[in-house]
Amino acid sequence: MCATSRRAIFNAAAALTICASVSASFTERAIAQGTEIVYSTFLDPNNANDPRSAAQTKMIQTFEGKYPDIKIRLLVDPTGQSVTRAVKSRSDTPDVIRVVSFGLPEYAATGNLVQLNDLVKRDGIPDDDWLLPLSTAQIDGKLYGLPQDFRIPILVYRKGTLQEAGVTPPKTWEEVCAAGSKFKQPNLIGFAVPLGATGGIGGAQSLAEFFLSTMLVGPNGQYFAPDGKIAFSKENFIRAGATIKDFFTKCKVTSLRSAQMGVNEVHDGLRSGTIAMTNFGLYRFKTIQAQGAGEDLGWGPAPSYTDSDKQTVYSYSIALNKHSKKQDAAWTFMKFVISPEAQAIAAEGGEVVSRKSAYNAPSLQSDAAKNQKQWAELVSQRGRAVAYSPILSTFHTILGEAFQRMVLRDESPEKAYEEVVKRYDEALTKAQ
């Protein structure tokens, strides 16, 4: 029997020499033998309320129909903790890992993910049929994950509340500040600025994802260096800190209540109408609509320092476990997942899928898909990928605590910067 080592993946010529009577493609051998692939995902197939789960199930069924002897078993891991432990312990499962792109550097740093550059080149996966070029997903020149979708911050607002206040959806931070005096309703947060830690993968994710990952990088697009060190400038940090602090003080566009909020509390506030507007995740827009906001929920491009600034985007990506014993079959599944056919299926669940050509599918020509296509265009026009820290959750925790002290104790952005840099450098040194 022919061996199915990693070498067979990366050196097709050698595989053909050793196994002259068998195709170098493991897919054919897998069909002959039968293979089960373990795929980790945060989407629970039993969740009837999440259309993304239904789309995932349909996508897997389509794959298994094409490759009947490759079966997919899901490892549902909403927090990612089980998969993180598996990767760090060099486990051979899961075979295919779904991971948020800003968490990918932490996984890659373990040395337990397959570099995909040679596989992508070998199988002719294009660089340009993506909302952002595939090359922008590399970490220090190496590709460890293939993006399934793209996520860009958007302004989410309650139409009726803004109309009552006489507020036009703001395009810049200056316009956000100017709106503060116009909201007169008691217990209403005009523009929520969440500094809390709930509802995310770790730390003050909502603050970082929807605000600071764009504000801190500034025009040069530098967030972290390949070695994990801070690459954003002190000037950008102080400007961002002053802007956020002004929203709580000078502008009075938000309240101290939002300093304790995280992703979940902002979600609930937009749903109930106690938050007029904020930067939020497009991936929760349909859910908030369905939970009661309905057609009163509107969106626009996220405010920034100018109305044409680039916005930091991220994705959920799929990666290949270096210790998987079924790498070739797993790669076959990965190629299908990011194919235009599978991407069109994923889009039925509301995702802003990553492949440009997927948007030609008939299912995406309806009015129901209008927002998705507009968000995809926004990603292409104003999106920007950045390099992340391998200890990002720790950074988010440090960032959130420093910003809370800055606001609640009236400390300066300069002091917050000194705290963040000192604590982060110590944490990075310890992690290494």
Side-chain angles (χ1 to χ4, degrees), residues 84 119 126 205 227 308 311 319 342 350 364 381 390 404 415 426:
T84 300
L119 290 171
Q205 183 188 327
D227 60 2
S308 60
Q311 295 280 346
L364 284 168
Q381 291 180 351
Q404 282 186 332
K415 185 173 182 179
E426 291 173 349

Side-chain angles (χ1 to χ4, degrees), residues 352-364:
V352 180
V353 295
S354 55
R355 294 293 291 270
K356 287 181 179 179
S357 53
Y359 290 90
N360 296 324
S363 59
L364 284 168

Side-chain angles (χ1 to χ4, degrees), residues 28 43 51 53 82 142 145 147 150 165 169 171 197 206 215 261 270 279 289 307 320 322 326 359 365 368 391 424:
E28 295 181 11
L43 294 172
S53 296
S82 297
K142 301 177 180 65
F150 283 107
K171 296 181 180 180
S206 54
M215 297 170 82
M261 290 182 171
L270 288 168
N279 281 8
Q289 275 189 321
D307 60 8
L320 179 55
K322 189 175 182 178
K326 308 164 187 177
Y359 290 90
Q365 309 312 312
I391 56 167
Y424 178 77

Side-chain angles (χ1 to χ4, degrees), residues 164-358:
E164 181 180 346
V167 172
T168 301
K171 296 181 180 180
T172 66
W173 295 131
E174 184 178 2
E175 291 176 2
V176 170
C177 183
S181 61
K182 299 180 180 180
F183 293 106
K184 306 297 185 183
Q185 295 182 23
N187 300 318
L188 175 72
I189 297 175
F191 186 90
V193 183
L195 310 183
T198 61
I201 293 176
Q205 183 188 327
S206 54
L207 173 66
E209 177 185 340
F210 306 133
F211 294 84
L212 295 182
S213 65
T214 291
M215 297 170 82
L216 295 185
V217 302
N220 64 5
Q222 298 298 311
Y223 203 17
F224 290 91
D227 60 2
K229 292 183 179 179
I230 287 174
F232 55 80
S233 69
K234 180 178 180 179
E235 178 185 10
N236 287 345
F237 186 100
I238 291 173
R239 180 177 68 164
T243 301
I244 296 296
K245 188 175 182 181
D246 282 349
F247 290 157
F248 287 91
T249 55
K250 182 181 73 174
C251 307
K252 292 183 171 55
V253 73
T254 193
S255 76
L256 293 181
R257 283 185 294 132
S258 79
Q260 308 297 335
M261 290 182 171
V263 175
N264 289 344
E265 291 85 358
V266 172
H267 179 111
D268 291 341
L270 288 168
R271 174 188 53 78
S272 65
T274 57
I275 292 174
M277 58 179 174
T278 189
N279 281 8
F280 210 52
L282 54 81
Y283 47 88
R284 292 211 177 195
F285 188 85
K286 284 189 175 182
T287 304
I288 297 171
Q289 275 189 321
Q291 289 178 344
E295 292 304 311
D296 188 52
L297 198 69
W299 74 273
S304 51
Y305 288 105
T306 76
D307 60 8
S308 60
D309 284 357
K310 292 288 187 180
Q311 295 280 346
T312 293
V313 305
Y314 72 96
S315 63
Y316 266 88
S317 298
I318 45 174
L320 179 55
N321 186 346
K322 189 175 182 178
H323 301 286
S324 167
K325 297 177 181 178
K326 308 164 187 177
Q327 286 186 15
D328 293 5
W331 175 243
T332 298
F333 176 63
M334 289 175 64
K335 285 191 296 181
F336 177 78
V337 168
I338 55 89
S339 70
E341 177 186 4
Q343 290 265 284
I345 296 172
E348 295 176 11
E351 296 281 16
V352 180
V353 295
S354 55
R355 294 293 291 270
K356 287 181 179 179
S357 53

